[in-house]
Amino acid sequence: MNAYLGGFAAALVGDPAWVMNVVPVEVRPNTLGIVYERGLIGTYQDWCEAMSTYPRTYDFIHADSVFTIYKDRCDTGDILLEMDRILRPEGSIIFRDDVDMLVKVKAIIDGMQYESRIADHEDGPLNREKILLAKKLYWTAPSPQGTKTYI
C-alpha cells in the first residue's frame, strides 16, 4: 500500500492478476504520475481514514513502510483494522518496515487471528528492515458449551 514506482505491479504484469497501486498522500516524492506513465492503475490513500473498496475486497496486500509513514499521524491498530476489513478471509499481507515497528504489528495481528512470522530482509539479518508475512485465517466463533440443538 505504498506503491512507490509501481514495481510490484510491473513485476506481475505478465500474470493473470489485477493490482491496485496505492500511494499514501503523505509520501514524498509523489509517484502516482509515474505509476500511470507505466500503464498501471493507482490511487491515493490516507491510511488514517477508511478506504473505499466497494464493490471488491482484496486477496493480497503489500504494505511497504506504511507504518513508519503514519507513525505520528494515527494508531497502528486502526490501520490494521482497515487492512483487515478490505482483505478477504485466507488473504495475505506482506509488511516491509523497521523491525521495531513490525514487532508491534505482529503482536496486534496475531490477536486478530492471523498466522504470521517475521523474516529477514533480502540483504541479510543485520538490516533493520524486516518482512512480516501474515495470512488471515478463516474462523468462526465456537458454539457455546451446553447449548441444545433443536431440529
Side-chain angles (χ1 to χ4, degrees), residues 66-78:
V66 170
F67 297 102
T68 297
I69 292 169
Y70 287 98
K71 71 180 176 184
D72 297 327
R73 292 215 39 238
C74 54
D75 185 60
T76 302
D78 293 340

Side-chain angles (χ1 to χ4, degrees), residues 55-127:
R56 65 186 58 84
T57 56
Y58 295 91
D59 293 316
F60 179 73
I61 297 173
H62 179 244
D64 186 358
S65 304
V66 170
F67 297 102
T68 297
I69 292 169
Y70 287 98
K71 71 180 176 184
D72 297 327
R73 292 215 39 238
C74 54
D75 185 60
T76 302
D78 293 340
I79 296 172
L80 288 170
L81 284 173
E82 182 61 15
M83 289 181 177
D84 182 68
R85 182 189 67 79
I86 68 174
L87 189 67
R88 290 183 182 146
E90 300 185 351
S92 299
I93 308 175
I94 295 178
F95 301 97
R96 295 177 66 95
D97 219 314
D98 183 76
V99 64
D100 294 335
M101 187 63 72
L102 290 184
V103 168
K104 181 179 176 182
V105 169
K106 182 174 177 12
I108 296 169
I109 208 153
D110 285 347
M112 295 169 64
Q113 303 296 321
Y114 279 70
E115 285 181 359
S116 68
R117 68 181 178 92
I118 295 178
D120 286 330
H121 188 273
E122 58 266 17
D123 291 339
L126 300 179
N127 192 325

